[in-house]
Amino acid sequence: MALADIINRIEGDAEREAHRVVRDAEELSARRASETLERARAQAERTRERIRRETEVEAATRVAAARLAARDEALRERRALVEEALAAVVTSLEALPDEEFARFLAAAIAREARSGDVVSLAPADQSLRETIRGIVEKSAPGLELEWSEKPAPLERGALVTGGRTRAEITARALVDACRGDLEVTVASSLFGSGRA
């Protein structure tokens, strides 16, 4: 075989080998690009799904928070209405005509006081002293009280003091003493349930 044939053959083999290497490299490159693209698509899908779940959770959390805030605001509003109603009860009691207010105070004094206690009336109620005293003596004949001339430090009502007693007899104090029952009654009247 001539040298030129050998060189041609070597060149042909080299060229075929180079084509094969290039073809294999292109196939490998295409396969890797396809695999990379598939991994990227899968990752993108996982990311989309994760974001969708996180968004749903965040939306549900926001809805729940909004519902709680709305419920809390409704409860505050209800509580404010109940408090307004109880304040109106106090105002109504304090605005009773003198004879009715005297009966109201006398009944509470007879309930709270013990023999030997001292009863002081608020400056606004000093003029009712004898009426209140007469009602207490009639309703609780065995109850011996001292009726102080010194005014009680109250706007309206009476202060009962003694060895075992210290009681403010005011519309506010009586409403506060019955607050739980009154709140249920008021809430039931206002909202149709017993909860404020």
Side-chain angles (χ1 to χ4, degrees), residues 10-56:
I10 291 174
E11 284 178 354
D13 287 347
E15 193 174 314
R16 279 190 300 278
E17 183 62 24
H19 283 293
R20 188 189 60 76
V21 167
V22 168
R23 188 183 64 242
D24 288 351
E26 287 173 346
E27 287 174 3
L28 180 61
S29 176
R31 207 172 35 249
R32 285 188 177 163
S34 176
E35 289 170 356
T36 301
L37 182 60
E38 191 54 39
R39 279 195 304 273
R41 284 182 183 149
Q43 181 62 39
E45 184 57 34
R46 285 191 300 274
T47 301
R48 271 194 301 276
E49 182 60 24
R50 180 181 50 79
I51 290 170
R52 184 191 62 76
R53 282 192 314 269
E54 288 172 358
T55 303
E56 286 176 357

Side-chain angles (χ1 to χ4, degrees), residues 64-82 191 196:
R67 285 183 181 149
L68 285 174
R71 185 205 65 187
D72 289 348
E73 183 60 27
L75 288 175
R76 275 191 294 279
E77 291 295 324
R78 286 178 142 199
R79 169 60 64 202
L81 288 172
V82 168
F191 313 116

Side-chain angles (χ1 to χ4, degrees), residues 51-111:
I51 290 170
R52 184 191 62 76
R53 282 192 314 269
E54 288 172 358
T55 303
E56 286 176 357
V57 168
E58 183 178 341
T61 300
R62 286 184 181 189
V63 167
R67 285 183 181 149
L68 285 174
R71 185 205 65 187
D72 289 348
E73 183 60 27
L75 288 175
R76 275 191 294 279
E77 291 295 324
R78 286 178 142 199
R79 169 60 64 202
L81 288 172
V82 168
E83 288 302 320
E84 282 181 38
L86 293 179
V89 169
V90 170
T91 301
S92 295
L93 288 171
E94 291 175 343
L96 286 172
D98 286 347
E99 186 65 32
E100 289 181 48
F101 193 71
R103 282 196 303 272
F104 165 75
L105 281 181
I109 290 168
R111 220 177 19 255

